[in-house]
């Protein structure tokens, strides 16, 4: 694997663990970190040995406390635009990664950090996690997809309240409004993320990849187009060994052994 300055990456038995690693600035995202994440995601997408990805932040305090404010402060409009475009491209890549991605949110997930979490497929939060889009307090709008993904996840009204006030909410409130799937004691967060990854890994990998693509495609289109896409991925499953194995195992009353082909 490649070497990174601001990221850590390990593959533990198929679980690719990405850690955003700038703890001194609460893992704030600068251009270099985004570029590294972009490169790492390209490598992970091609790596059949990575079955599920978990993303977390380094240290005890933060998942990611946002885009790097010190780096943004002197930006011109054009530099701001290319920073936003770069972040959006990376988060789109993350959202459409073939493997499922779990965010293990271990602290502050603000601004670009909340946007990073929202680009993941499933969000697990530690009890100490905090969420928000404080951009309007800094004189900007969210720029890494927050105005688009948040209303899709929690609905327009709730998203507008969070985006207009810049308020920070705790993990319990994030769970109540559907921003996260689960809240766990801090010390249980990573174990829970790994247990969830293991469960997903025990199912048919291609079927999961197709499912993810169908959900992502379908959520951005009308129902008729979405279900037409579903029929295509459903039929593709019948070209896999795993479909034969899964159904044969059921008939033979044994556990299926999926190979991802
Ligand atoms: N950027 C840069 N540095 C940061 C950031 C950040 N987002 N967050 C924290 N840091 C730094 C602090 O400056 C501090 O550095 P130092 O020790 O040198 O003073 C260090 O991290 C520790 O932070 P604090 O001392 O502030 O820690 P506290 O526990 O007191 O507070 C908070 C924690 C509440 C998280 C606080 O640090 C904070 O409010 N951070 C900023 C949160 C924020 O506003 N995030 C949104 C940023 S904007 C954004 O993400 C837009 C994304 C889209 C961009 C589009 C491109 C144009």
């Amino acid at each position: 694997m490649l070497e990174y300055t601001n990221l850590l990456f390990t593959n533990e038995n198929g679980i690719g663990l990405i850690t955003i690693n700038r703890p001194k600035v609460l893992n704030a995202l600068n251009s270099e970190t985004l570029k590294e994440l972009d490169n790492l995601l390209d490598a992970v997408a091609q790596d059949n040995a990575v079955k599920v990805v978990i993303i977390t932040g380094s240290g005890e305090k933060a998942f990611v406390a946002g885009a790097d404010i010190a780096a943004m402060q002197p930006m011109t409009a054009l530099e701001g635009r290319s920073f936003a475009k770069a972040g959006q491209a990376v988060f789109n890549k993350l959202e459409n990664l073939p493997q499922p991605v779990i965010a293990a949110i271990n602290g502050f997930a603000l601004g670009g950090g909340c946007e990073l979490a929202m680009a993941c497929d499933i969000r697990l939060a530690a009890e100490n996690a905090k969420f928000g889009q404080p951009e309007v307090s800094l004189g900007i709008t969210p720029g890494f997809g927050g105005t688009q993904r948040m209303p899709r996840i929690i609905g327009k009204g709730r998203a507008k309240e969070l985006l207009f006030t810049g308020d920070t909410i705790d993990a319990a409130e994030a769970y109540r409004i559907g921003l996260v799937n689960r809240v766990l004691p801090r010390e249980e967060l990573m174990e829970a993320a790994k247990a969830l990854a293991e469960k997903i890994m025990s199912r048919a990998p291609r079927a999961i990849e197709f499912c993810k693509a169908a959900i992502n495609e379908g959520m951005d289109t009308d129902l008729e187009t979405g279900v037409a896409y579903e029929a295509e991925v459903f039929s593709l499953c019948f070209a896999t060994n795993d479909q034969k194995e899964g159904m044969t195992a059921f008939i033979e009353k044994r556990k299926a052994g999926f190979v991802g082909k």
Side-chain angles (χ1 to χ4, degrees):
M1 263 292 166
L2 304 159
E3 289 284 314
Y4 300 99
T5 309
N6 300 323
L7 301 177
L8 302 173
F9 181 74
T10 56
N11 179 353
E12 282 176 38
N13 304 318
I15 302 177
L17 178 62
I18 299 176
T19 306
I20 311 291
N21 189 32
R22 297 184 78 210
K24 283 191 183 143
V25 287
L26 306 186
N27 306 317
L29 299 172
N30 59 3
S31 297
E32 188 188 24
T33 310
L34 288 175
K35 185 80 204 135
E36 288 187 358
L37 188 56
D38 195 46
N39 290 339
L40 176 57
L41 292 175
D42 283 340
V44 165
Q46 302 293 323
D47 189 347
N48 287 331
V50 180
K51 313 288 186 202
V52 175
V53 172
I54 298 175
I55 298 194
T56 196
S58 189
E60 288 307 308
K61 255 172 108 171
F63 174 67
V64 165
D68 191 317
I69 298 170
M72 282 187 294
Q73 193 271 346
M75 279 181 188
T76 64
L78 288 180
E79 286 165 347
R81 187 166 183 260
S82 56
F83 188 53
K85 293 262 184 203
Q88 289 171 1
V90 182
F91 288 11
N92 289 347
K93 192 174 281 184
L94 176 66
E95 186 166 53
N96 293 307
L97 203 70
Q99 297 94 334
V101 182
I102 300 167
I105 304 155
N106 56 315
F108 289 109
L110 300 175
C114 190
E115 291 168 306
L116 174 65
M118 290 191 293
C120 297
D121 297 310
I122 298 170
R123 283 163 290 282
L124 305 188
E127 281 166 348
N128 67 313
K130 299 263 191 298
F131 299 82
Q133 296 289 155
E135 284 87 346
V136 292
S137 318
L138 297 163
I140 58 171
T141 64
F144 292 165
T147 62
Q148 303 307 305
R149 288 197 178 90
M150 187 174 272
R152 282 168 169 78
I153 294 170
I154 64 171
K156 212 170 165 181
R158 285 188 169 128
K160 282 181 173 168
E161 185 175 345
L162 281 177
L163 292 168
F164 295 173
T165 60
D167 278 352
T168 298
I169 57 170
D170 63 16
E173 177 66 0
Y175 176 71
R176 193 187 71 79
I177 64 176
L179 187 57
V180 299
N181 298 55
R182 255 190 268 166
V183 181
L184 298 127
R186 173 71 186 90
E187 60 281 7
E188 291 172 24
L189 177 66
M190 203 43 75
E191 280 318 302
K194 287 182 180 170
L196 179 58
E198 299 274 359
K199 182 183 271 191
I200 294 170
M201 279 160 58
S202 72
R203 315 302 193 217
R206 292 289 154 249
I208 292 167
E209 182 185 334
F210 297 159
C211 231
K212 174 168 170 171
I215 294 166
N216 285 357
E217 288 288 326
M219 289 302 288
D220 290 330
T221 185
D222 61 282
L223 185 67
E224 201 179 338
T225 312
V227 293
Y229 191 86
E230 183 185 77
E232 294 307 314
V233 296
F234 178 77
S235 67
L236 258 188
C237 294
F238 290 83
T240 65
N241 291 340
D242 283 350
Q243 176 270 326
K244 299 288 175 279
E245 167 62 10
M247 293 191 176
T248 306
F250 175 82
I251 291 161
E252 293 176 355
K253 299 191 188 304
R254 61 173 172 82
K255 197 168 178 291
F258 294 118
V259 292
K261 291 192 175 133

Coordinates of all heavy atoms in Angstrom, one line a residue, residues 68-142:
D68 N -10.2 22.5 6.8 CA -9.2 23.2 7.5 C -9.4 24.8 7.4 O -9.2 25.3 6.3 CB -7.8 22.9 7.0 CG -6.7 23.4 7.9 OD1 -6.7 24.6 8.3 OD2 -5.7 22.7 8.2
I69 N -9.9 25.4 8.5 CA -10.3 26.8 8.4 C -9.1 27.7 8.1 O -9.2 28.6 7.4 CB -11.0 27.2 9.7 CG1 -12.2 26.4 9.9 CG2 -11.3 28.7 9.7 CD1 -12.9 26.5 11.3
A70 N -7.9 27.3 8.7 CA -6.7 28.2 8.5 C -6.3 28.1 7.0 O -5.9 29.1 6.5 CB -5.6 27.7 9.4
A71 N -6.5 27.0 6.4 CA -6.1 26.9 5.0 C -7.1 27.6 4.1 O -6.8 28.1 3.0 CB -6.1 25.4 4.6
M72 N -8.4 27.6 4.6 CA -9.5 28.3 3.7 C -9.5 29.8 3.9 O -9.9 30.5 3.0 CB -10.8 27.8 4.1 CG -11.2 26.4 3.6 SD -12.9 26.0 3.9 CE -12.9 25.9 5.7
Q73 N -9.0 30.3 5.1 CA -9.2 31.7 5.4 C -8.7 32.6 4.3 O -9.4 33.6 3.9 CB -8.5 32.0 6.7 CG -8.8 33.3 7.4 CD -7.9 34.4 6.9 OE1 -6.8 34.1 6.3 NE2 -8.3 35.7 7.1
P74 N -7.5 32.4 3.7 CA -7.0 33.4 2.7 C -7.5 33.0 1.2 O -7.1 33.7 0.3 CB -5.5 33.2 2.7 CG -5.3 31.8 3.2 CD -6.5 31.4 4.0
M75 N -8.3 32.1 1.0 CA -8.7 31.6 -0.3 C -9.4 32.7 -1.1 O -10.2 33.4 -0.6 CB -9.5 30.4 -0.3 CG -8.8 29.1 -0.1 SD -9.9 27.7 -0.1 CE -8.7 26.4 0.4
T76 N -9.1 32.7 -2.4 CA -9.9 33.5 -3.4 C -11.2 32.7 -3.7 O -11.3 31.5 -3.4 CB -9.1 33.8 -4.6 OG1 -8.9 32.6 -5.3 CG2 -7.8 34.5 -4.3
A77 N -12.1 33.4 -4.4 CA -13.3 32.7 -4.8 C -13.0 31.5 -5.7 O -13.6 30.4 -5.6 CB -14.2 33.6 -5.6
L78 N -12.0 31.6 -6.6 CA -11.7 30.5 -7.5 C -11.0 29.4 -6.8 O -11.2 28.2 -7.0 CB -10.8 31.0 -8.7 CG -11.5 31.9 -9.7 CD1 -10.6 32.3 -10.8 CD2 -12.7 31.1 -10.3
E79 N -10.2 29.8 -5.8 CA -9.5 28.7 -5.0 C -10.6 28.0 -4.1 O -10.5 26.8 -4.0 CB -8.4 29.3 -4.1 CG -7.2 29.7 -4.8 CD -6.3 30.7 -4.0 OE1 -6.7 31.2 -3.0 OE2 -5.1 30.9 -4.5
G80 N -11.5 28.7 -3.6 CA -12.6 28.1 -2.8 C -13.4 27.2 -3.7 O -13.7 26.1 -3.2
R81 N -13.6 27.6 -4.9 CA -14.4 26.7 -5.8 C -13.6 25.4 -6.1 O -14.2 24.3 -6.0 CB -14.6 27.5 -7.1 CG -15.5 26.8 -8.1 CD -15.9 27.8 -9.2 NE -16.9 27.2 -10.1 CZ -16.5 26.8 -11.3 NH1 -15.2 26.8 -11.7 NH2 -17.4 26.3 -12.1
S82 N -12.3 25.5 -6.4 CA -11.6 24.3 -6.7 C -11.4 23.4 -5.4 O -11.5 22.2 -5.5 CB -10.3 24.5 -7.4 OG -9.5 25.4 -6.7
F83 N -11.4 24.0 -4.2 CA -11.3 23.2 -3.0 C -12.6 22.5 -2.8 O -12.6 21.3 -2.5 CB -11.0 24.2 -1.8 CG -10.8 23.5 -0.5 CD1 -9.8 22.5 -0.4 CD2 -11.5 23.8 0.6 CE1 -9.6 21.9 0.8 CE2 -11.2 23.2 1.9 CZ -10.3 22.2 1.9
A84 N -13.8 23.2 -3.0 CA -15.1 22.5 -2.9 C -15.2 21.4 -3.9 O -15.6 20.3 -3.6 CB -16.2 23.5 -3.1
K85 N -14.8 21.7 -5.2 CA -14.9 20.6 -6.2 C -14.0 19.4 -5.9 O -14.4 18.3 -6.1 CB -14.4 21.2 -7.6 CG -15.3 22.3 -8.1 CD -16.3 21.7 -9.1 CE -17.1 22.8 -9.7 NZ -18.4 22.3 -10.3
A86 N -12.8 19.7 -5.3 CA -11.9 18.6 -5.0 C -12.6 17.7 -3.9 O -12.6 16.5 -4.0 CB -10.6 19.1 -4.5
G87 N -13.1 18.4 -2.9 CA -13.7 17.7 -1.8 C -14.9 16.9 -2.3 O -15.2 15.7 -1.9
Q88 N -15.7 17.5 -3.1 CA -16.9 16.9 -3.6 C -16.6 15.6 -4.4 O -17.2 14.6 -4.3 CB -17.8 17.8 -4.5 CG -18.4 18.9 -3.6 CD -19.1 20.0 -4.5 OE1 -19.0 19.9 -5.7 NE2 -19.6 21.0 -3.9
A89 N -15.5 15.7 -5.2 CA -15.1 14.6 -6.1 C -14.7 13.4 -5.2 O -15.1 12.3 -5.4 CB -14.0 15.0 -7.0
V90 N -14.0 13.7 -4.1 CA -13.5 12.6 -3.2 C -14.7 12.0 -2.5 O -14.8 10.8 -2.4 CB -12.5 13.2 -2.2 CG1 -12.0 12.0 -1.3 CG2 -11.3 13.8 -2.8
F91 N -15.6 12.8 -2.0 CA -16.8 12.3 -1.3 C -17.7 11.5 -2.2 O -18.3 10.6 -1.8 CB -17.5 13.4 -0.5 CG -16.8 14.0 0.7 CD1 -15.4 13.6 0.9 CD2 -17.4 14.8 1.6 CE1 -14.7 14.1 2.0 CE2 -16.7 15.3 2.7 CZ -15.4 15.0 2.9
N92 N -17.8 12.0 -3.5 CA -18.6 11.2 -4.5 C -18.0 9.9 -4.7 O -18.7 8.8 -4.8 CB -18.7 12.0 -5.8 CG -19.6 13.2 -5.7 OD1 -20.3 13.4 -4.7 ND2 -19.5 14.1 -6.7
K93 N -16.7 9.9 -4.8 CA -15.9 8.6 -5.0 C -16.2 7.7 -3.8 O -16.4 6.5 -4.0 CB -14.4 8.9 -5.1 CG -13.6 7.7 -5.6 CD -12.2 8.2 -5.9 CE -12.0 8.9 -7.2 NZ -10.6 9.2 -7.5
L94 N -16.1 8.2 -2.6 CA -16.4 7.4 -1.4 C -17.8 6.9 -1.4 O -18.0 5.7 -1.2 CB -16.2 8.4 -0.2 CG -16.5 7.7 1.2 CD1 -15.5 6.6 1.5 CD2 -16.4 8.8 2.3
E95 N -18.8 7.7 -1.7 CA -20.2 7.3 -1.7 C -20.4 6.1 -2.7 O -21.2 5.3 -2.5 CB -21.1 8.5 -2.1 CG -22.5 8.2 -2.0 CD -23.4 9.5 -2.0 OE1 -23.2 10.3 -2.9 OE2 -24.2 9.6 -1.1
N96 N -19.6 6.2 -3.8 CA -19.8 5.2 -4.9 C -18.8 4.1 -4.9 O -18.7 3.3 -5.9 CB -19.9 5.9 -6.2 CG -21.2 6.7 -6.3 OD1 -22.3 6.3 -6.1 ND2 -21.0 8.0 -6.6
L97 N -18.0 4.0 -3.8 CA -17.0 2.9 -3.7 C -17.7 1.6 -3.8 O -18.8 1.4 -3.3 CB -16.3 3.0 -2.3 CG -14.9 2.4 -2.2 CD1 -13.9 3.3 -3.0 CD2 -14.5 2.4 -0.7
P98 N -17.1 0.6 -4.5 CA -17.9 -0.7 -4.6 C -18.1 -1.4 -3.3 O -19.1 -2.0 -3.1 CB -16.9 -1.6 -5.5 CG -15.7 -0.7 -5.9 CD -15.9 0.6 -5.3
Q99 N -17.2 -1.2 -2.3 CA -17.3 -1.8 -1.0 C -18.2 -0.9 -0.1 O -18.2 0.3 -0.2 CB -16.0 -1.9 -0.3 CG -15.0 -2.8 -1.0 CD -14.0 -2.0 -1.9 OE1 -14.4 -1.0 -2.4 NE2 -12.8 -2.6 -2.1
P100 N -18.9 -1.6 0.8 CA -19.7 -0.8 1.8 C -18.7 0.0 2.7 O -17.7 -0.5 3.0 CB -20.4 -1.8 2.6 CG -20.4 -3.1 1.8 CD -19.1 -3.0 1.0
V101 N -19.2 1.2 3.1 CA -18.3 2.0 4.0 C -19.1 2.4 5.3 O -20.2 2.9 5.2 CB -17.9 3.3 3.3 CG1 -17.0 4.2 4.1 CG2 -17.3 3.0 1.9
I102 N -18.5 2.1 6.4 CA -19.1 2.4 7.7 C -18.3 3.6 8.3 O -17.0 3.5 8.4 CB -19.0 1.2 8.6 CG1 -19.7 0.0 8.0 CG2 -19.5 1.5 10.0 CD1 -19.4 -1.3 8.8
A103 N -19.0 4.6 8.7 CA -18.3 5.7 9.5 C -18.4 5.4 10.9 O -19.5 5.1 11.5 CB -19.0 7.0 9.2
A104 N -17.2 5.3 11.6 CA -17.2 5.1 13.1 C -16.8 6.4 13.7 O -15.7 6.9 13.7 CB -16.1 4.0 13.4
I105 N -17.9 7.2 14.1 CA -17.7 8.6 14.4 C -17.4 8.7 15.9 O -18.3 8.6 16.8 CB -19.1 9.3 14.0 CG1 -19.3 9.1 12.6 CG2 -18.9 10.8 14.3 CD1 -20.8 9.2 12.2
N106 N -16.2 9.0 16.2 CA -15.6 9.0 17.5 C -15.4 10.3 18.2 O -14.7 10.4 19.1 CB -14.2 8.3 17.4 CG -13.3 9.0 16.5 OD1 -13.7 9.4 15.4 ND2 -12.0 9.3 16.9
G107 N -16.2 11.3 17.7 CA -16.1 12.6 18.3 C -16.7 13.7 17.4 O -17.6 13.4 16.7
F108 N -16.1 14.9 17.4 CA -16.7 15.9 16.5 C -16.7 15.5 15.1 O -15.8 15.1 14.5 CB -15.8 17.2 16.6 CG -15.9 17.9 17.9 CD1 -14.8 17.9 18.8 CD2 -17.0 18.6 18.3 CE1 -14.9 18.5 20.1 CE2 -17.1 19.2 19.5 CZ -16.0 19.2 20.4
A109 N -17.9 15.7 14.5 CA -18.1 15.5 13.0 C -18.8 16.8 12.6 O -20.0 16.9 12.5 CB -19.0 14.3 12.7
L110 N -18.0 17.8 12.3 CA -18.5 19.2 12.0 C -18.1 19.6 10.6 O -17.1 19.2 10.1 CB -17.9 20.2 13.0 CG -18.2 19.9 14.5 CD1 -17.5 21.0 15.4 CD2 -19.7 20.0 14.8
G111 N -19.0 20.3 10.0 CA -18.7 20.8 8.6 C -18.3 19.7 7.7 O -19.1 18.7 7.5
G112 N -17.1 19.8 7.1 CA -16.6 18.7 6.2 C -16.6 17.4 6.9 O -16.6 16.4 6.2
G113 N -16.5 17.3 8.2 CA -16.5 16.0 8.9 C -17.9 15.4 8.9 O -18.0 14.2 8.7
C114 N -18.9 16.2 9.1 CA -20.3 15.7 9.0 C -20.6 15.3 7.6 O -21.2 14.3 7.3 CB -21.2 16.8 9.5 SG -22.9 16.3 9.7
E115 N -20.0 16.1 6.6 CA -20.2 15.8 5.2 C -19.5 14.5 4.8 O -20.0 13.7 4.1 CB -19.7 16.9 4.3 CG -20.6 18.2 4.5 CD -20.0 19.4 3.9 OE1 -18.9 19.8 4.3 OE2 -20.7 20.1 3.0
L116 N -18.3 14.2 5.4 CA -17.6 13.0 5.2 C -18.5 11.8 5.7 O -18.7 10.8 5.0 CB -16.3 13.0 5.9 CG -15.4 11.7 5.9 CD1 -15.0 11.4 4.4 CD2 -14.2 11.9 6.8
A117 N -19.0 12.0 6.9 CA -19.8 10.9 7.5 C -21.0 10.6 6.6 O -21.4 9.5 6.5 CB -20.2 11.3 8.9
M118 N -21.6 11.7 6.1 CA -22.9 11.5 5.3 C -22.6 10.9 4.0 O -23.5 10.4 3.3 CB -23.6 12.9 5.1 CG -24.2 13.4 6.4 SD -25.3 14.8 6.2 CE -24.2 16.1 5.7
A119 N -21.3 10.9 3.5 CA -21.0 10.2 2.2 C -20.7 8.7 2.5 O -20.6 8.0 1.5 CB -19.8 10.9 1.6
C120 N -20.7 8.3 3.7 CA -20.5 6.9 4.0 C -21.9 6.2 4.0 O -22.9 6.9 4.1 CB -19.9 6.7 5.4 SG -18.2 7.4 5.6
D121 N -21.9 4.9 3.9 CA -23.1 4.2 3.7 C -23.9 4.0 5.1 O -25.1 4.2 5.1 CB -22.9 2.7 3.2 CG -22.3 2.8 1.8 OD1 -22.8 3.5 1.0 OD2 -21.2 2.1 1.6
I122 N -23.1 3.8 6.1 CA -23.7 3.5 7.4 C -23.0 4.3 8.5 O -21.7 4.4 8.4 CB -23.7 2.0 7.8 CG1 -24.5 1.2 6.7 CG2 -24.2 1.7 9.2 CD1 -24.3 -0.3 6.8
R123 N -23.7 5.0 9.4 CA -23.0 5.8 10.4 C -23.3 5.3 11.8 O -24.4 5.2 12.2 CB -23.5 7.3 10.3 CG -22.9 8.1 9.2 CD -23.7 9.3 8.8 NE -25.0 8.9 8.3 CZ -25.2 8.6 7.0 NH1 -24.2 8.5 6.2 NH2 -26.4 8.2 6.5
L124 N -22.2 4.9 12.5 CA -22.2 4.5 13.9 C -21.5 5.6 14.7 O -20.5 6.1 14.3 CB -21.5 3.2 14.2 CG -21.9 2.0 13.4 CD1 -21.2 0.7 13.9 CD2 -23.4 1.8 13.4
A125 N -22.1 6.0 15.8 CA -21.6 7.2 16.6 C -21.3 6.8 18.0 O -22.0 6.0 18.6 CB -22.6 8.3 16.6
A126 N -20.2 7.3 18.5 CA -19.9 7.1 19.9 C -20.8 8.1 20.7 O -21.2 9.2 20.1 CB -18.4 7.4 20.2
E127 N -21.0 7.8 22.0 CA -21.9 8.7 22.8 C -21.4 10.2 22.8 O -22.2 11.1 23.0 CB -22.0 8.2 24.2 CG -23.0 7.0 24.3 CD -22.9 6.3 25.6 OE1 -21.9 6.5 26.4 OE2 -23.8 5.4 25.9
N128 N -20.0 10.3 22.7 CA -19.5 11.7 22.8 C -19.5 12.4 21.4 O -19.0 13.5 21.4 CB -18.0 11.6 23.3 CG -17.1 10.9 22.3 OD1 -17.4 9.9 21.8 ND2 -15.9 11.5 22.1
A129 N -19.9 11.8 20.4 CA -19.9 12.4 19.1 C -20.8 13.7 19.0 O -21.8 13.7 19.7 CB -20.3 11.4 18.0
K130 N -20.4 14.6 18.2 CA -21.1 15.8 18.0 C -21.2 16.1 16.5 O -20.2 16.0 15.8 CB -20.5 17.0 18.7 CG -20.3 16.9 20.2 CD -21.4 17.6 20.9 CE -21.2 17.8 22.4 NZ -21.1 16.5 23.1
F131 N -22.4 16.6 16.1 CA -22.6 16.8 14.7 C -23.1 18.2 14.4 O -23.8 18.8 15.2 CB -23.7 15.8 14.2 CG -23.3 14.4 14.4 CD1 -23.5 13.8 15.6 CD2 -22.8 13.7 13.3 CE1 -23.1 12.4 15.8 CE2 -22.4 12.3 13.5 CZ -22.6 11.7 14.7
G132 N -22.7 18.7 13.2 CA -23.3 20.0 12.8 C -22.6 20.5 11.6 O -21.6 20.0 11.1
Q133 N -23.3 21.5 11.0 CA -22.7 22.2 9.8 C -22.6 23.7 10.2 O -23.5 24.5 9.9 CB -23.7 22.0 8.6 CG -23.9 20.6 8.1 CD -22.7 20.0 7.4 OE1 -22.6 18.8 7.4 NE2 -21.8 20.8 6.8
P134 N -21.5 24.0 10.9 CA -21.3 25.4 11.4 C -20.9 26.4 10.3 O -20.6 27.6 10.7 CB -20.3 25.2 12.5 CG -19.5 24.0 12.1 CD -20.3 23.2 11.2
E135 N -20.9 26.1 9.1 CA -20.4 27.0 8.0 C -20.9 28.4 8.1 O -20.2 29.4 7.9 CB -20.6 26.4 6.6 CG -19.7 25.2 6.3 CD -20.2 23.9 6.8 OE1 -21.1 23.8 7.6 OE2 -19.6 22.9 6.3
V136 N -22.3 28.5 8.3 CA -22.9 29.9 8.3 C -22.3 30.8 9.4 O -22.3 32.0 9.3 CB -24.4 29.9 8.3 CG1 -25.0 29.3 7.0 CG2 -24.9 29.1 9.6
S137 N -21.7 30.2 10.4 CA -21.0 31.0 11.5 C -19.7 31.5 11.0 O -19.1 32.3 11.6 CB -20.8 30.1 12.7 OG -21.9 29.4 13.0
L138 N -19.2 30.9 9.9 CA -17.9 31.3 9.3 C -18.1 32.1 8.1 O -17.1 32.5 7.4 CB -17.1 30.0 9.0 CG -16.7 29.1 10.2 CD1 -16.3 27.8 9.7 CD2 -15.6 29.8 11.0
G139 N -19.3 32.4 7.7 CA -19.6 33.2 6.5 C -19.6 32.4 5.2 O -19.5 33.0 4.1
I140 N -19.7 31.1 5.3 CA -19.8 30.3 4.1 C -20.9 29.3 4.1 O -21.6 29.1 5.2 CB -18.4 29.5 3.8 CG1 -18.1 28.6 5.0 CG2 -17.3 30.5 3.5 CD1 -16.9 27.7 4.7
T141 N -21.2 28.7 3.0 CA -22.1 27.5 3.0 C -21.3 26.2 3.1 O -20.1 26.3 2.9 CB -22.9 27.5 1.6 OG1 -21.9 27.2 0.6 CG2 -23.6 28.8 1.3
P142 N -22.0 25.1 3.4 CA -21.2 23.9 3.2 C -20.8 23.7 1.8 O -21.5 24.2 0.9 CB -22.3 22.8 3.6 CG -23.3 23.5 4.4 CD -23.3 24.9 3.9

